[in-house]
């Protein structure tokens, strides 16, 4: 999952970035509203964290312009502790949730994960499709109740595919959202990882959880054990 952090306080920005990378996110950062707007418009993001008090362009204005440009990924705003007007205005501008400063990182992470789940049409932190169950909090995967050991990148690919189970995800999208800019963007790497993931989830080639659509990408093909809400995405 690729997240943008727009925050002008350097220490906070660095901390957020480090903790989010630890939590498995690919992280882009911006230090003012103009940079944030540019990154928000140009990068292939899954979610954004935007501080409201920003130099050059206010956070509220960044959000309004992103939404006016039809960017629909979830946005979490950072607000001052006792400023309820900020929260209301932020939500009205198009943000999806807020965290008041100072915050515990765990709260930011829990809210981000909830926003990503809901954007994918999932109501609970455990994503279940047929016999495959992925727990987004513990970052664990089970098939028929048996734990499956995945590497970090295998897990990230599976989480991305399962969050949007039923949708076709291109190789380009997987590469852009799962790797930092400095990683060699080779779609063969994705093919190899998907191949390994298939063998781990489905050693006897019976489930066929991940479908390849020639020239288009991959789709997590097992039906969700929970109907997506009508208003999803
Ligand atoms: Ca600020």
């Amino acid at each position: 999952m690729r997240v943008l952090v727009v925050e002008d306080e350097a220490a906070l920005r660095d901390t957020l970035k480090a903790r989010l990378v630890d939590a498995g996110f690919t992280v882009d950062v911006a230090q003012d509203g103009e940079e944030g707007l540019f990154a928000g418009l140009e990068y292939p993001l899954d979610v954004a964290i935007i501080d409201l008090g920003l130099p050059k362009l206010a956070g509220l204005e960044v959000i309004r312009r992103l939404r006016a440009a039809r960017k629909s990924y979830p946005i979490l705003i950072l607000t001052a502790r006792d400023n309820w007007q900020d929260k209301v205005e932020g939500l009205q501008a198009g943000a999806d949730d807020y965290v008041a400063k100072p915050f515990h990182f765990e709260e930011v992470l829990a809210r981000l994960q909830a926003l990503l789940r809901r954007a994918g049409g999932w109501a609970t932190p455990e994503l279940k499709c047929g016999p495959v169950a992925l727990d987004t909090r513990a970052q664990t995967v089970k098939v028929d109740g048996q734990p499956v050991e995945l590497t970090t990148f295998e897990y990230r690919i599976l989480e991305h595919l399962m969050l949007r189970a039923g949708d076709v995800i291109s190789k380009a999208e997987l590469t852009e959202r799962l790797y930092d800019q400095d990683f060699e963007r080779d779609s063969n790497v994705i093919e190899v990882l998907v191949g390994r993931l298939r063998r781990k989830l489905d050693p006897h080639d019976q489930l066929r959880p991940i479908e390849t659509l020639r020239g288009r990408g991959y789709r997590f093909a097992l039906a969700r054990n929970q109907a997506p809400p009508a208003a999803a995405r």
Side-chain angles (χ1 to χ4, degrees):
M1 292 287 141
R2 186 158 172 171
V3 56
L4 170 67
V5 176
V6 190
E7 169 59 64
D8 57 314
E9 287 172 52
L12 183 54
R13 187 172 65 240
D14 292 348
T15 306
L16 276 173
K17 177 169 182 175
R19 300 287 309 261
L20 287 164
V21 166
D22 280 348
F25 285 86
T26 298
V27 184
D28 298 296
V29 292
Q31 57 186 356
D32 60 51
E34 283 178 5
E35 271 190 13
L37 180 62
F38 176 82
L41 290 173
E42 298 300 323
Y43 297 168
L45 302 171
D46 295 298
V47 62
I49 301 174
I50 300 179
D51 180 34
L52 288 188
L54 292 171
K56 295 194 183 174
L57 189 62
L60 280 177
E61 195 51 34
V62 174
I63 296 165
R64 285 193 193 104
R65 293 194 198 178
L66 290 173
R67 292 309 191 215
R70 300 190 172 275
K71 294 294 175 187
S72 60
Y73 47 75
I75 295 175
L76 177 69
I77 51 175
L78 305 179
T79 67
R81 171 65 59 191
D82 13 275
N83 193 339
W84 63 266
Q85 292 96 332
D86 265 11
K87 294 167 192 163
V88 171
E89 284 183 333
L91 295 171
Q92 284 173 340
D96 297 279
D97 201 356
Y98 59 82
V99 174
K101 290 179 178 179
F103 48 75
H104 290 284
F105 175 73
E106 287 71 17
E107 184 179 0
V108 171
L109 182 61
R111 289 184 184 276
L112 274 190
Q113 288 173 332
L115 288 175
L116 287 166
R117 285 198 309 268
R118 276 187 243 133
W122 291 94
T124 58
E126 196 176 30
L127 318 182
K128 286 185 183 167
C129 294
V132 181
L134 181 147
D135 187 328
T136 57
R137 293 161 306 183
Q139 304 202 340
T140 55
V141 176
K142 289 181 179 172
V143 178
D144 281 326
Q146 297 301 310
V148 178
E149 291 294 325
L150 299 180
T151 64
T152 304
F153 279 124
E154 289 163 359
Y155 174 84
R156 287 202 208 176
I157 289 175
L158 183 62
E159 186 189 67
H160 201 92
L161 292 173
M162 283 186 75
L163 271 169
R164 292 178 47 201
D167 289 356
V168 180
I169 316 284
S170 70
K171 274 188 217 169
E173 177 176 334
L174 281 176
T175 313
E176 284 166 352
R177 306 211 179 176
L178 300 175
Y179 296 126
D180 284 323
Q181 291 89 330
D182 52 2
F183 190 91
E184 191 186 348
R185 289 190 179 178
D186 183 346
S187 64
N188 294 323
V189 175
I190 294 287
E191 280 176 30
V192 171
L193 291 175
V194 169
R196 271 203 254 153
L197 199 47
R198 282 186 174 126
R199 286 191 293 279
K200 287 186 178 181
L201 296 176
D202 184 26
H204 306 298
D205 203 20
Q206 291 167 330
L207 284 175
R208 310 270 170 94
I210 303 169
E211 196 179 359
T212 301
L213 294 102
R214 197 173 287 276
R216 292 171 62 204
Y218 301 105
R219 172 162 60 197
F220 199 84
L222 303 179
R224 297 171 185 232
N225 295 10
Q226 159 209 304
R233 293 190 299 135

